[in-house]
Amino acid sequence: MKAKSLVRIALAGACLMSSAVATAQDLQFFGTGGTGLDIGHGGGKAWAVGTTGKVYRFDTPPGAWTEIGGITTGMRIDVDSGGNPWP
């Protein structure tokens, strides 16, 4: 399965799960693996806040989540069209 398809699956699954839950609970990212508190999309990439508050970006290649340093207290995330995360 192509990486773009995996990201779309992860985003769709996260949207379905987050709309059903009003409180911050761990999300399961199907297709890309991992868990987190929130997921967003911007700049052509998926971004997530992990359960520890760290921010991650899904990079292809390598087809895995990459930790973005310097952010350790996120709970929610939004990403602008330029790919700048706003946790």
Side-chain angles (χ1 to χ4, degrees):
M1 193 176 274
K2 291 187 174 188
K4 282 187 177 182
S5 295
L6 292 176
V7 170
R8 287 183 184 130
I9 290 168
L11 287 172
C15 289
L16 288 173
M17 288 183 286
S18 65
S19 66
V21 179
T23 60
Q25 295 182 9
D26 293 355
L27 300 175
Q28 192 76 23
F29 301 140
F30 298 102
T32 60
T35 59
L37 299 175
D38 198 21
I39 192 166
H41 183 268
K45 301 212 179 235
W47 296 74
V49 177
T51 56
T52 62
K54 294 180 181 179
V55 172
Y56 297 87
R57 179 184 63 225
F58 192 79
D59 288 324
T60 54
W65 293 101
T66 302
E67 182 182 333
I68 306 302
I71 305 171
T72 60
T73 58
M75 288 194 64
R76 298 281 185 237
I77 193 161
D78 196 5
V79 185
D80 66 24
S81 61
N84 301 300
W86 297 84

